[in-house]
């Protein structure tokens, strides 16, 4: 594994056939809305056309500090690839390698990959009938077994769904249709990105609260439980007779 940055936040998967604008315009819009990772698909193009498109998208992302990942083993003159579950195994050498996974068996095959997508989390209009969907509970179970960070994928269209995926432990949400089909991709990207940020902050706050309670419990056993003031033994009969005043 590279040990470098891996995709997080809202990650765009491209599909120009679903886009309501030229693909480069959609990418410019979602980058303006806060997206910093894009996975280039468009596998029906020739290598030359796909490489030219990759160069255009890299330039758009570079201006915002973002990064392009290419679907398939050929990085198209870049250094980041996203591989299908079917192979190749082992992964080719690249600066960043991701893989599509759908179950525990596929997660168990991972070797040097840096991250994975897990899908489908929800029913998806992009691939009707693809599934069955994991739903957030199933996503959480698989994330617990994954050796690398996970992007949730499949049917993610709303801020609430993004929050559910991050709450389940995903590092980010990979989105295709909701951004490709959007009338205003920048607005949708901004809403989804804000939901990711809010969910991450909520998660960090919960971790800090849990750590704080654990620390108090270690120093003062019973301090984290209700009625902890009464758990302290009274030192005198008078003290025992007084009502608990709290802390």
């Amino acid at each position: 594994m590279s040990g470098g940055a891996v995709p997080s936040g809202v990650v765009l998967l491209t599909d120009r056939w679903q886009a309501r604008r030229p693909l480069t315009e959609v990418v410019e819009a979602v980058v303006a809305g806060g997206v910093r990772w894009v996975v280039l698909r468009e596998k029906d193009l020739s290598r030359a056309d796909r490489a030219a498109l990759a160069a255009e998208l890299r330039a758009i992302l570079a201006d915002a500090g973002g990064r392009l990942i290419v679907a398939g083993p050929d990085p198209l003159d870049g250094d980041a690839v996203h591989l299908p579950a079917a192979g190749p195994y082992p992964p080719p050498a690249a600066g960043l390698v991701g893989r599509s996974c759908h179950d525990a068996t596929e997660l168990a095959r991972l070797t040097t990959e840096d991250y994975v997508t897990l899908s489908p989390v929800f029913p998806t209009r992009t691939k009707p009938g693809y599934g069955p969907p994991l739903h957030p509970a199933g996503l959480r179970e698989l994330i617990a077994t994954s050796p690398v960070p996970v992007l949730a994928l499949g049917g993610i269209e709303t801020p609430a769904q993004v929050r559910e995926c991050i709450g389940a432990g995903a590092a980010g949400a990979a989105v295709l249709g909701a951004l490709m089909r959007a009338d205003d991709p920048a607005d949708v990207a901004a809403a989804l990105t804000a939901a990711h940020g809010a969910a991450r902050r909520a998660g960090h706050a919960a971790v800090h609260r849990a750590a704080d309670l654990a620390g108090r419990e270690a120093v003062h056993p019973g301090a984290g439980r209700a009625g902890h003031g009464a758990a302290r033994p009274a030192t005198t009969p008078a003290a025992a007779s007084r009502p608990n005043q709290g802390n």
Side-chain angles (χ1 to χ4, degrees), residues 96-202:
L96 178 68
V97 178
R99 190 179 295 279
S100 297
C101 291
H102 312 87
D103 54 39
T105 299
E106 291 174 352
L107 287 173
R109 293 182 196 149
L110 298 174
T111 55
T112 58
E113 290 88 341
D114 297 290
Y115 75 93
V116 296
T117 58
L118 281 173
S119 65
V121 180
F122 302 102
T124 169
R125 287 191 285 165
T126 301
K127 294 183 177 180
Y130 182 59
L134 296 168
H135 298 294
L139 175 66
R140 182 186 298 274
E141 290 179 6
L142 288 177
I143 287 174
T145 70
S146 177
V148 294
V150 169
L151 299 178
L153 169 64
I156 301 170
E157 299 188 352
T158 69
Q161 288 174 316
V162 170
R163 289 192 293 270
E164 286 186 278
C165 292
I166 303 310
V175 180
L176 193 156
L179 292 171
M180 287 287 108
R181 294 188 292 261
D183 291 326
D184 187 342
D187 186 61
V188 175
L192 298 180
T193 299
H196 171 268
R200 293 285 287 182
R201 289 190 295 274

Side-chain angles (χ1 to χ4, degrees), residues 12 25-36 38 179-180 185-186 189-190 193:
L12 171 67
E25 291 185 16
V26 174
V27 172
E28 286 175 341
V30 300
V31 168
V35 170
R36 295 296 178 265
V38 174
L179 292 171
M180 287 287 108
T193 299

